Amino acid sequence: MTAPGGSSGEDARDDGANPTGAGGWAPQQPAWDAPWDPPGALPPTGYPPPAYPPLPYPPSGYGGAPPGYGGPPPGYGGPPPGYGPPPYPGGYYPAPDYQGGYGPQPTTQSGTNGMAIAALISSFTGLFCCIGGIVAIALGVIALDQIKRTRQDGYAIAVAGIVIGSATLIVALIVGIFAMHSS
């Protein structure tokens, strides 16, 4: 290809390594020197340094255990017979009949908690009489405790029974206060 102006740009004066300045003058570059001395081929004499002489043990000032601290008192040599770590049956895993260190696991009962259902039903009867809201709150709290212990279903039903029972109790008390006040 040709460059603009008709020349191909490949003649001897267009050498990229030796550019010429204005008027044909080429700048002189100084010789390249390394910024540091190159490493020598051999390490300096005495490398690596000699090792320290071994210390006499124990070091001076440490004559061993202080007087009177020779060991455990008599009768404290180890655990009493029958109280040691349990022997393993030979492998990395405990014996198959081992149930764990947390005691027997509680059995989970299936189904929805009956007290939670009773709390929800009694909360709706609180619309007709004030006692239904009180019963719903009591049954809902008991149901939450049972659900936590037995891991049954019905947590949301128990909470709904408590909330609706509280709301019906508050509404019934407000209606009762206005009924007394207006008479």
Side-chain angles (χ1 to χ4, degrees):
M1 289 187 53
T2 60
S7 70
S8 64
E10 296 181 4
D11 56 351
R13 288 185 297 156
D14 290 339
D15 188 14
N18 293 323
T20 58
W25 176 76
Q28 295 292 326
Q29 293 184 353
W32 183 81
D33 291 330
W36 62 88
D37 291 334
L42 298 174
T45 58
Y47 185 81
Y52 290 110
L55 294 175
Y57 285 102
S60 63
Y62 294 99
Y69 291 99
Y76 289 99
Y83 290 99
Y88 284 98
Y92 289 105
Y93 301 103
D97 60 343
Y98 180 68
Q99 303 241 348
Y102 299 108
Q105 298 296 321
T107 59
T108 56
Q109 297 176 359
S110 62
T112 307
N113 189 296
M115 291 274 195
I117 296 171
L120 186 63
I121 292 171
S122 64
S123 69
F124 287 120
T125 61
L127 295 172
F128 305 117
C129 63
C130 185
I131 195 78
I134 297 170
V135 172
I137 294 170
L139 288 176
V141 169
I142 294 170
L144 286 178
D145 182 55
Q146 287 181 354
I147 289 169
K148 185 173 24 172
R149 281 187 290 117
T150 61
R151 298 179 185 258
Q152 279 183 307
D153 293 333
Y155 178 81
I157 296 173
V159 171
I162 293 172
V163 170
I164 295 171
S166 301
T168 57
L169 181 64
I170 291 171
V171 168
L173 289 175
I174 291 174
V175 168
I177 289 173
F178 280 117
M180 282 192 209
H181 183 63
S182 65
S183 55

